[in-house]
Amino acid sequence: MMNNLEIIRTSHLILSELTINDANFIFKLYNDRDFIRYIGDKGIASVQDAESFILQGPINSYNINNYGLCLISLLDKKPIGICGLLKRDKLDSPDIGFAILPNFRKQGYALEASRAILNDARERLQLTKILAITSSENIASIELLLKLGMVYKKMITIKEFDSKPVQLYSIQFN
Ligand SMILES: CC(C)(COP(=O)(O)OP(=O)(O)OC[C@H]1O[C@@H](n2cnc3c(N)ncnc32)[C@H](O)[C@@H]1OP(=O)(O)O)[C@@H](O)C(=O)NCCC(=O)NCCS
């Protein structure tokens, strides 16, 4: 099987580009209860849907933007989540997204991955501003964004989040 292209390695994690070989994992993650509750139902009802999503979402974004959602794996290559930058039409800067499988939460992995993604955004991609959006009920996500040094800006509505108002956060690099 083809290896995923590694983007970043941290003390406990490997962040790499998603490939269609990750469809089983994406199918599982995107149907997790908290994922659907807080991020939304992306309509990934089969492994085949997950393959199409990976192609049209992350892989398309790597080609267009030079960044996109990455697979998070432990150093032994076990996939545990996703983290990376997204570019939405409605927002003027990329926003950071993350999700971890339930069994691997609360161990600092999302924080470690997100810090690495923000660092990469500043150093390699030379971006100056990163946004984040989260539902107001998503305490774990809000706490994580604050820990990353992101600042609450305002409520916005975007169609990807079912058009329900969501909180917008921002971080600016100097
Ligand atoms: C949000 C999410 C990615 C956090 O992942 P995680 O790996 O558990 O987070 P970490 O262990 O790195 O936690 C980092 C910090 O976030 C905060 N945090 C994480 N989970 C929390 C929880 N359940 N309640 C309150 N704060 C929480 C804490 O401040 C934590 O720091 P601490 O461990 O020093 O207290 C995870 O809960 C998840 O996948 N949720 C479903 C998908 C989702 O909602 N994604 C975000 C959409 S905007």
Side-chain angles (χ1 to χ4, degrees), residues 13 49 51 55 66 93 116 146:
L13 306 171
D49 288 349
E51 277 185 19
L55 282 170
N66 212 19
S93 295
L146 294 174

Side-chain angles (χ1 to χ4, degrees), residues 98-100 105-111 133 138 140-141 143 147:
F98 36 72
I100 303 282
R105 287 182 193 152
K106 304 241 44 165
Q107 297 171 61
Y109 292 144
L111 184 61
I133 45 179
N138 195 349
S141 174
E143 292 294 323
K147 224 162 221 191

